[in-house]
Amino acid sequence: MDITKYDHSKIEKKWQDKWKKEGVYKTPISSTGKKNYILDMFPYPSGSTMHVGHLEGYVGTDILSRYYRMKGDRVFHPMGWDSFGLPAENYAIKTGNHPDKSIHDNIKTFKRQLEISGLSYDWDHEIDTSSPEFYKWTQWLFIQLFKKGLAYKKKSPVNWCPKDETVLANEQVIDGKCERCDTPVIQKELDQWFLKITDYSDRLISGLSDIDWPDEIKVQQKNWIGRSEGRVVEFEIESSGKKIEVFTTRPDTLNSATFLAIASQKDADSKEKIGKFTGEYAINPLNSEKLPIWETNYVDSSYGTGAIMGVPAYDERDREFAEKYKIGVVERPLTDKILGQKKVHYHLRDWLVSRQRYWGCPIPMIYCQSCASKNDALKGVILQESSQDTLQGMSGWYPVAENDLPVLLPKDVDFLPHGESPIARSETFQKGVTCPKCGKPAKREVDTMDTYVDSSWYFIRFIDPINTKEFASKEAINAWMPVDNYVGGGHVVQHLLFARFFWKVLFDEGFIDKSVGDEPFLKLRAPGWILGHDSRKMSKRWGNVVTPDEIIPKFGADTLRIYEMFMGPFDVMKPWSTSGVEGASRFLSRIWKVFNETVKESSDNEVVIKLHQTIKKVGKDIESYKFNTAISTLMELTNIICDKGADKETLKTLCLLLAPFAPHLAEEVWVEVLGQTFSIHKAEWPKYDDTKMSIDIVNIVVQVNGKVRGQLSIDNLQTINEEQVTKTAKKDERISKWLSKKDIKKVVYIPNRLINFVV
Ligand code: ANZ
Ligand code: ZN
């Protein structure tokens, strides 16, 4: 082998093959070591290629995984595919390629790209959310939610994208436009399935205090849930004597109210406040004043009671409205008298999960017209006294029997959108379907689920991916959950909230043991975006996309990894730079040279000190996701070694420290240059010695036959070595006279304290 030049192309493939063959990254089954579940937000394999931005988080978790394995942890580090969803379907519509084919072609590419990047996933745990083996359990989970009254169907005004011809969740509407295609969103009344995440509002807030997440993400979740304490105040309508309730957070301003307003359905989208006087008046319960009742678009029909008291003297929105419509403004001292019932409202809405689209998990529900009409006869009675939950059971909807799962997504479907669910046009889907309750012919639900349902539980399936009897065994859940380190960007109020909700439901239902806890992700970190060289978001549109396929053949995966981690702090945005990649490549060439140069007998003090400082710093930095400063410390150590040389032990340690960052180069050096046993990724992480991080002078008492004959002052880096201390003692005049011409029978050395010569 030519040792003068670092040739990544000779090294990387060789070790990737060997790691795979030897199963180096297989999940350990033993129970020794601390469990450590290190998880990436799994990718949506959209487009035809991954870019270097995707890799940032994956390299980060790879470094963590390698480091913690070397520290003796039991590491679980899986990867899989979020493969249902609109982009694949839209792509299919455009090209005519079936989404099942295009998505799996993309997955192949993504997987190859992850593999050439040297990422240490255990591929035995790979999952794919669009496979029936996976979505059978997505359907099963939906049924559990239904049985608990946490899934229900109701008519509701929904966000509708006229272009995609589909319903959108609030989170998918950005500034009134469709998240995916930017078309202005309109409101439409449709029957929709909802999941009752609002039942968990309080716990979704309180649980945040127990987890190690970035503060800004916690704040955003809190605001999204929007807990609001106020009072519901009752007003009487003058003409009819009927009651109208308003929700207010300022009951102390009741004395200054000048109007009431109720939500109007029309014009809901308009930014401008629009109103109409209803002709009715209400009586202020505090001062008996007559207040006009208006209808307006700035009152949200789905929040609070859908009605407000207008207090223009204290509320900005009310003032704007009052000024526009010439309603009076009065400001009266606050009274001590507070009316109304205390009430907490939340801005969080139930999660709308049905989609009138093809490429998703079929909702496993059956509608029976016969049962429904039988129930309808009873409905009048029930409506008055029963909760919505009971009504669901009575409305003709029944879950598919668990033995009949999965409800397969039919392949014989024209997936072009026509406003209704494409599955409705399948010839096979409704064949032979009967009511689970009465056995008469019935119809399946033709809507599919929001893909966020899939990603709300994928992290559980990872730990037990081929279980055919349960979504995951309790044993596996106890062994691996919760996730210890979760890395991924975005999804602040969607995935990360939905997943916490699902986990809490499973916890409450006893599928999760108490000891495992009711939060699924203990620690979360979000990598900052990698921007194009022009500081714009990487996108085909700007022609600034860089893929691992361009970088790896030229520079190697280790260089790419080092560069990405060295660009800046993990969690900040940073632009790509080709000269930066070249810098990383030079660093690895330099390291390569260091290992291949002649080894010294012993390392200088300066090198030893820096080495121990580096062991400590790199470990600490990795644990706190400071990969960039870990690398710069390794660079400093490398520079000193370049200057001063080092002994073999020092070089071995440097190689171990490098292993999480540049796994191929480190393995090559470990095995081929330093002659150690394969694999460095199973070797033990080096330990630092606190006493070796600086130079101190240590006083050592010298005895001859147990009698004190002198003292030595030696620096702490030498005192570890008995031979060295013996030599120094013998050279000292005060001591040598006691030793001369005598036969030394035995030397007893107590490090840093005492040396005794027995003569
Ligand atoms: C009188 C008042 C006076 C109010 C004042 C505020 C300030 P949050 O914190 O979001 O809960 N409100 C109540 N229901 C509403 C609805 N459906 N649509 C639009 N606005 C609504 O805010 C609650 C406050 O928002 C309530 O308190 C009410 O206005 C308004 F100086 O009542 B307030
Ligand atoms: Zn029936």
Side-chain angles (χ1 to χ4, degrees), residues 368 370-371 398 435 437-440:
C368 174
S370 165
C371 284
Y398 299 99
C435 170
K437 171 114 180 148
C438 72
K440 291 198 182 132

Side-chain angles (χ1 to χ4, degrees), residues 4-247:
T4 55
K5 205 176 152 294
Y6 163 51
D7 185 352
H8 61 83
S9 60
K10 289 217 184 96
I11 295 173
E12 296 191 345
K13 178 84 173 65
K14 164 179 146 190
W15 292 116
Q16 282 163 15
D17 290 346
K18 175 112 174 164
W19 293 330
K20 195 183 220 170
K21 202 172 131 234
E22 307 279 331
V24 171
Y25 308 122
K26 272 206 172 26
T27 308
I29 25 181
S30 78
S31 56
T32 56
K34 208 168 91 211
K35 76 102 181 161
N36 197 337
Y37 185 172
I38 300 173
L39 178 67
D40 294 289
M41 284 184 188
F42 68 161
Y44 183 82
S46 69
S48 46
T49 174
M50 182 162 88
H51 63 61
V52 292
H54 294 110
L55 266 181
E56 193 196 5
Y58 307 154
V59 172
T61 54
D62 191 64
I63 291 169
L64 289 177
S65 301
R66 292 176 185 279
Y67 166 76
Y68 283 116
R69 281 188 203 106
M70 292 170 82
K71 289 279 280 186
D73 280 8
R74 253 184 317 139
V75 169
F76 179 48
H77 188 41
M79 185 41 109
W81 317 103
D82 188 13
S83 54
F84 268 141
L86 263 187
E89 187 169 345
N90 287 342
Y91 180 76
I93 291 163
K94 214 162 78 188
T95 62
N97 274 331
H98 198 284
D100 195 34
K101 165 138 187 18
S102 64
I103 205 84
H104 288 102
D105 287 347
N106 290 350
I107 286 174
K108 272 193 209 114
T109 306
F110 268 58
K111 187 167 177 180
R112 181 184 55 74
Q113 289 173 319
L114 294 177
E115 282 179 328
I116 62 170
S117 305
L119 301 173
S120 61
Y121 294 117
D122 178 358
W123 288 106
D124 289 352
H125 286 256
E126 183 176 1
I127 56 170
D128 168 356
T129 58
S130 67
S131 71
E133 294 75 35
F134 182 92
Y135 71 67
K136 166 178 177 173
W137 298 104
T138 308
Q139 293 174 340
W140 178 85
L141 281 161
F142 184 95
I143 291 171
Q144 307 314 305
L145 288 159
F146 179 82
K147 286 182 173 166
K148 278 283 117 191
L150 291 169
Y152 64 93
K153 198 168 198 187
K154 74 165 187 213
K155 222 183 201 71
S156 81
V158 292
N159 304 306
W160 177 263
C161 171
K163 176 149 178 285
D164 290 336
E165 300 201 80
T166 191
V167 169
L168 300 170
N170 285 340
E171 296 87 336
Q172 292 166 313
V173 181
I174 313 287
D175 295 330
K177 290 181 184 147
C178 171
E179 168 188 72
R180 316 257 188 206
C181 72
D182 256 11
T183 306
V185 169
I186 60 169
Q187 301 290 306
K188 198 170 166 167
E189 281 269 326
L190 274 181
D191 262 334
Q192 297 291 342
W193 287 100
F194 288 85
L195 300 184
K196 240 185 184 174
I197 189 172
T198 52
D199 273 11
Y200 285 76
S201 299
D202 264 331
R203 282 171 64 194
L204 287 169
I205 293 174
S206 62
L208 290 171
S209 56
D210 307 331
I211 50 184
D212 176 8
W213 285 25
D215 283 338
E216 63 273 18
I217 296 185
K218 288 189 183 181
V219 168
Q220 285 181 72
Q221 286 216 345
K222 237 184 193 156
N223 290 344
W224 186 261
I225 298 164
R227 185 177 200 276
S228 176
E229 284 179 22
R231 289 192 182 240
V232 170
V233 181
E234 229 179 52
F235 290 71
E236 200 176 289
I237 298 176
E238 192 190 33
S239 63
S240 62
K242 281 192 181 143
K243 304 280 198 259
I244 184 168
E245 291 183 330
V246 308
F247 175 63

Side-chain angles (χ1 to χ4, degrees), residues 228 247-250 253 298-301 303-309 311 314-315 317-318 347:
S228 176
F247 175 63
T248 176
T249 47
R250 294 289 308 274
T253 63
Y298 82 91
V299 173
D300 176 355
S301 63
Y303 183 63
T305 61
I308 64 151
M309 62 181 195
V311 193
Y314 292 95
D315 185 304
R317 294 162 302 174
D318 295 345
H347 285 272

